[in-house]
């Protein structure tokens, strides 16, 4: 069964957790039947104060994983507990970046590699924003399906997350997804005029086709995104590039 520490954490009883952690025999890393630690419980429940108390304990190990391969950081990110994510990452910076080494993980149901991919895919812009401030975050990291955070945010319509990602100094908007689509193609297809303009300003090439030989101009045309067509043409998009045996005209 669960220990009194686990119960106190689960109920959000910060003062009791603090007292229990003072005991010389307390084990802050004890796991339940599914491999969840007290830190994972606190992170999932959104108990920021308890997370902070647990991190003060000299024996705490925030890199531990449960039976699904999830750490406390992943638990916090999946529940959009931004403050806890940043608490864990700030702790990480002071302790040899041990948590950063656990950012890569695979969930069979979601198939993502790290926390920023989770946040971008489900559109938690504040988490994306906070994570991008951490020096160990790679904004161009791909998951096992070869998609980046920018690609997921574009594909799922999370435009605010897209805007945040595009502001990062290391973001690479020229990468392609498994179908050969660039960020510009995805944005043009969705009709995101502002994002198309931002990508073009960053030097995105308008004539790069995907694996089906479709360009951003092709998708903007067939979906009736007139302003995007205008912007693409103004930035050198070629209307004579054939799509199979036809041009966009």
């Amino acid at each position: 069964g669960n220990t009194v520490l686990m119960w106190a954490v689960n109920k959000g009883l910060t003062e009791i957790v603090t007292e229990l952690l003072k005991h010389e025999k307390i084990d802050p890393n004890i796991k339940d039947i599914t491999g969840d630690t007290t830190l994972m419980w606190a992170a999932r429940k959104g108990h920021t104060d308890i997370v902070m108390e647990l991190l003060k304990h000299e024996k705490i190990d925030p890199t531990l994983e449960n039976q699904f391969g999830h750490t406390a950081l992943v638990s916090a990110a999946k529940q959009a507990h931004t403050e806890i994510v940043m608490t864990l990452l700030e702790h990480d910076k002071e302790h040899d970046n041990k948590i950063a080494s656990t950012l890569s993980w695979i969930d069979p149901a979601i198939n993502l590699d790290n926390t920023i991919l989770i946040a971008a895919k489900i559109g938690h812009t504040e988490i994306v924003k906070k994570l991008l401030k951490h020096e160990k975050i790679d904004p161009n990291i791909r998951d096992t399906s070869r998609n980046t955070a920018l690609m997921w945010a574009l594909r799922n319509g999370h435009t605010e997350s897209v805007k945040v990602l595009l502001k990062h100094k290391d973001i690479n908007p020229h990468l392609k997804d498994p179908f050969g689509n660039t960020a510009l193609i995805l944005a043009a297809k969705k009709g995101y005029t502002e994002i198309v303009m931002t990508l073009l300003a960053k030097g995105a090439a308008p004539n790069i086709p995907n694996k089906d030989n479709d360009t951003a101009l092709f998708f903007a045309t067939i979906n009736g995104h007139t302003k995007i067509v205008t912007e693409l043409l103004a930035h050198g998009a070629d209307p004579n590039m054939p799509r199979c045996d036809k041009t966009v005209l």
Side-chain angles (χ1 to χ4, degrees):
N2 296 325
T3 65
V4 290
L5 178 60
M6 287 181 171
W7 280 113
V9 169
N10 186 46
K11 296 294 184 180
L13 305 174
T14 307
E15 292 183 4
I16 293 179
V17 169
T18 301
E19 287 303 311
L20 289 170
L21 289 174
K22 292 177 182 177
H23 196 280
E24 61 180 9
K25 293 185 178 180
I26 199 73
D27 180 4
N29 300 310
I30 194 167
K31 294 185 174 184
D32 64 13
I33 193 171
T34 62
D36 284 339
T37 64
T38 53
L39 187 59
M40 292 176 200
W41 278 34
R44 187 180 301 112
K45 290 281 188 175
H47 300 319
T48 306
D49 290 343
I50 291 179
V51 168
M52 294 175 70
E53 286 300 316
L54 288 166
L55 289 174
K56 291 177 185 177
H57 199 281
E58 61 180 8
K59 295 181 180 178
I60 196 69
D61 184 356
T63 68
L64 293 176
E65 299 179 351
N66 63 15
Q67 66 182 27
F68 304 107
H70 298 178
T71 63
L73 181 60
V74 172
S75 297
K78 290 185 74 173
Q79 297 299 320
H81 297 315
T82 309
E83 189 174 353
I84 292 177
V85 169
M86 286 311 298
T87 297
L88 288 164
L89 290 177
E90 287 300 324
H91 180 270
D92 187 40
K93 289 173 69 175
E94 299 171 3
H95 294 81
D96 302 320
N97 294 306
K98 292 181 179 179
I99 297 178
S101 66
T102 71
L103 287 179
S104 293
W105 65 288
I106 296 176
D107 183 322
I110 304 176
N111 197 26
L112 301 176
D113 282 336
N114 73 17
T115 309
I116 197 167
L117 284 161
I118 300 170
K121 187 173 185 179
I122 59 182
H124 288 308
T125 304
E126 286 304 310
I127 290 182
V128 173
K129 190 183 299 182
K130 296 286 187 180
L131 288 172
L132 286 174
K133 294 179 180 179
H134 194 270
E135 60 184 7
K136 291 296 180 178
I137 291 294
D138 178 3
N140 301 307
I141 195 167
R142 294 177 183 265
D143 60 19
T144 54
S145 68
R146 304 299 296 160
N147 285 294
T148 65
L150 181 60
M151 293 169 189
W152 277 123
L154 279 166
R155 188 173 290 111
N156 291 341
H158 303 310
T159 55
E160 292 305 311
S161 292
V162 171
K163 293 174 185 177
V164 170
L165 286 160
L166 288 176
K167 289 179 181 178
H168 195 278
K169 63 181 180 64
D170 295 325
I171 197 72
N172 184 351
H174 312 298
L175 298 176
K176 291 185 174 185
D177 71 9
F179 305 101
N181 294 311
T182 61
L184 185 61
I185 289 176
L186 294 173
K189 186 176 183 179
K190 290 278 191 176
Y192 301 146
T193 305
E194 184 181 348
I195 292 170
V196 166
M197 293 172 68
T198 300
L199 287 165
L200 290 171
K202 282 182 170 287
N207 293 315
I208 296 178
N210 64 14
K211 289 184 177 180
D212 292 326
N213 211 37
D214 297 331
T215 63
L217 182 60
F218 171 78
F219 284 114
T221 299
I222 65 171
N223 289 309
H225 303 313
T226 307
K227 190 169 183 180
I228 292 178
V229 169
T230 302
E231 288 294 328
L232 289 168
L233 290 172
H235 284 80
D238 184 359
N240 294 314
M241 283 187 68
R243 194 273 179 181
C244 296
D245 59 342
K246 298 178 181 178
T247 66
V248 291
L249 182 62

